[in-house]
Amino acid sequence: MAVPTPHGVPDRPGTPPVPPELAELLRVQLAAVADEVEEEVRRQVPEYARPADGTYRRNLRSGVVQALTLFVDHIADPRDDGGGIEATYYELGRGEALEGRSLDALQSALRVGGLHAWRLMGRTAEELGLDSAVVAALGELAFRTVHEVAQAAAAGYAEARLRSSDELERRRRRLLDLLLEDGPVALEAVQDLAHNARWPVPRTVAVVALAAAPDRREEERPLAAAGALVDMESRPPRMLVPDPDGSGRFGGRAFTLALRGRPAAVGPTVAVTEAAQSLRLATRALGLMGRGVLPRQGVVRCSDHLSTLLLYGDEPLLDRLRARVLAPLDTVSAGQRDRLAETLLAWLLSGSNVPDVAVRLHVHPQTVRYRLRQLEKLFGDALHDPHTRLDLILALRAESLGARPV
């Protein structure tokens, strides 16, 4: 937030044609001028119209006096860099940022104060009969003084805003860690951290797990601005979105566009204290996307694939189930095995209706009957046992999704 040097005021002006003795004359008037400048700032800048007592009054008064002192010191010794006073205005800028006032208000106060001080002191110079060159030089010094204190204040303001932004980000990261940790999460603890992080606690949330993409943070900005808690450093990168089924900020096309084509899995909507559950399913779904079990590209919503996520909740157990109930298929060739497995799953899902199976597989009904006779030889009476049929559906469904032993 650098303040540009005013037109006609060099960074290091040479010695102006101003009698140094004028400094002492102006210094005598400094307290009276400070009174008027302070009142003018309070009158013209609404943000500074505070009660005229207490700490605030002392701080405002001190700032005015020090700026006027810097101006007079420049007259007495043009080589004085005003380092101490600039440090004071640096701290003033920091204080304004921390109090939540805008930089515009601070700069307005400096402009109003500088102009009014120049009018008062310039009037003194005219009353002393100084020629126009001296008055012009005083004007240059006034511009230089305002520029120096404004630049110092802006630097302090920028530093405080940066630190405030960094601190807010750290608080939100701690809040996200709390919400996503394993085990019970107390709502009171969430509310305390959320208050410090300036994050309104929603009723429901969903966690999004993102495919890793180095140096890709573009999607973080719009989503964080909309209220998402984002951690792109975790593995996988993740974000927690508030009220995903409410306003629509995190649904549909807008959300997909914000991700810029990055594959993502959206966990189910849960209560805010149950966010870890949403994260677990989103992470599982993202892993299945990488393996091709779920679509590899785009945004996959767990709520659309709950049965698949349930099926893959314990893969070693799923492999045992597949190995046991599909063992009869291991006695035929690979090509024949695939055709029989496809036919058996379609037959089980269609309620043993041969014409429906034929339509589903785009084959002749007689072909279906031929394959069913082969399956009867392989499985026997197990094909008609309700419990075995359920196990077969689960195992064959996993196989059709591309499952392989892990």
Side-chain angles (χ1 to χ4, degrees):
M1 296 184 182
V3 178
T5 304
H7 180 68
V9 180
D11 288 337
R12 291 295 179 189
T15 303
V18 179
E21 296 80 10
L22 180 60
E24 296 308 314
L25 293 174
L26 295 177
R27 205 181 300 276
V28 172
Q29 303 179 26
L30 200 144
V33 172
D35 287 339
E36 291 197 37
V37 169
E38 178 187 348
E39 290 305 316
E40 188 69 9
V41 169
R42 289 165 51 79
R43 187 179 68 82
Q44 291 202 38
V45 184
E47 290 85 348
Y48 288 82
R50 296 280 191 88
D53 56 2
T55 303
Y56 180 80
R57 169 69 182 272
R58 289 193 297 273
N59 290 341
L60 177 59
R61 173 74 177 190
S62 175
V64 170
V65 169
Q66 292 197 57
L68 294 173
T69 300
L70 178 61
F71 174 60
V72 174
D73 287 346
H74 278 326
I75 297 174
D77 182 3
R79 295 167 297 180
D80 184 3
D81 63 5
I85 293 176
E86 288 186 6
T88 297
Y89 269 84
Y90 184 91
E91 290 303 316
L92 175 63
R94 290 185 72 255
E96 296 298 275
L98 294 176
E99 285 199 26
R101 279 190 287 270
S102 71
L103 183 61
D104 289 341
L106 175 58
Q107 291 182 329
S108 293
L110 292 173
R111 285 193 298 269
V112 168
L115 180 59
H116 196 65
W118 162 239
R119 286 184 185 136
L120 296 174
M121 291 188 164
R123 190 180 306 152
T124 298
E126 292 177 355
E127 290 172 354
L128 293 173
L130 301 178
D131 61 34
S132 59
V134 174
V135 174
L138 281 173
E140 279 200 7
L141 280 176
F143 273 107
R144 174 185 168 188
T145 302
V146 170
H147 169 67
E148 288 173 355
V149 297
Q151 191 172 44
Y157 188 94
E159 188 268 346
R161 287 293 298 271
L162 178 61
R163 285 182 178 272
S164 176
S165 176
D166 290 345
E167 177 61 23
L168 186 64
E169 184 175 344
R170 283 193 293 271
R171 291 177 182 180
R172 292 194 169 189
R173 185 68 58 84
R174 288 197 297 271
L175 173 60
L176 181 60
D177 290 342
L178 171 66
L179 289 169
L180 298 184
E181 70 180 17
D182 291 328
V185 177
L187 181 59
E188 294 78 7
V190 172
Q191 290 171 333
D192 287 344
L193 272 182
H195 176 75
N196 292 332
R198 301 179 192 172
W199 190 72
V201 178
R203 187 177 61 84
T204 59
V205 296
V207 178
V208 182
L210 300 162
D215 302 324
R216 285 277 306 278
R217 296 177 63 90
E218 299 93 334
E219 64 271 24
E220 176 176 350
R221 297 184 182 90
L223 292 169
L229 299 178
V230 183
D231 182 3
M232 291 297 174
E233 306 303 321
S234 64
R235 290 294 176 267
R238 60 200 186 183
M239 62 179 69
L240 182 145
V241 298
D243 295 323
D245 303 326
S247 65
R249 292 172 298 175
F250 301 105
R253 183 173 174 78
F255 180 75
T256 302
L257 288 175
L259 295 180
R260 299 173 181 264
R262 188 169 180 171
V266 182
T269 299
V270 297
V272 66
T273 56
E274 299 172 356
Q277 297 180 21
S278 186
L279 172 63
R280 281 195 293 273
L281 289 178
T283 303
R284 184 184 303 171
L286 187 67
L288 295 177
M289 290 173 67
R291 294 162 53 187
V293 176
L294 294 177
R296 292 182 180 273
Q297 300 300 321
V299 176
V300 169
R301 299 184 181 276
C302 289
S303 57
D304 296 333
H305 303 277
L306 293 178
S307 61
T308 300
L309 292 170
L310 176 63
L311 195 61
Y312 282 81
D314 188 335
E315 294 199 49
L317 183 60
L318 177 61
D319 290 334
R320 288 179 181 273
L321 175 67
R322 291 175 60 241
R324 181 177 65 80
V325 301
L326 299 183
L329 292 177
D330 294 336
T331 62
V332 300
S333 66
Q336 189 178 13
R337 184 188 195 283
D338 290 343
R339 290 191 295 272
L340 290 177
E342 180 185 45
T343 302
L344 179 55
L345 179 59
W347 181 72
L348 291 168
L349 294 177
S350 66
S352 307
N353 187 300
V354 171
D356 285 352
V357 175
V359 171
R360 180 178 297 196
L361 300 183
H362 306 289
V363 297
H364 195 278
Q366 193 61 33
T367 301
V368 175
R369 294 188 181 94
Y370 171 73
R371 293 178 184 175
L372 288 174
R373 286 195 294 270
Q374 291 180 294
L375 289 167
E376 289 277 1
K377 292 178 182 179
L378 292 173
F379 288 91
D381 292 339
L383 289 182
H384 305 285
D385 177 70
H387 297 293
T388 302
R389 288 167 71 100
L390 176 59
D391 288 348
L392 283 168
I393 290 173
L394 294 175
L396 291 167
R397 175 61 177 163
E399 192 156 291
S400 70
L401 291 171
R404 293 292 180 268
V406 295

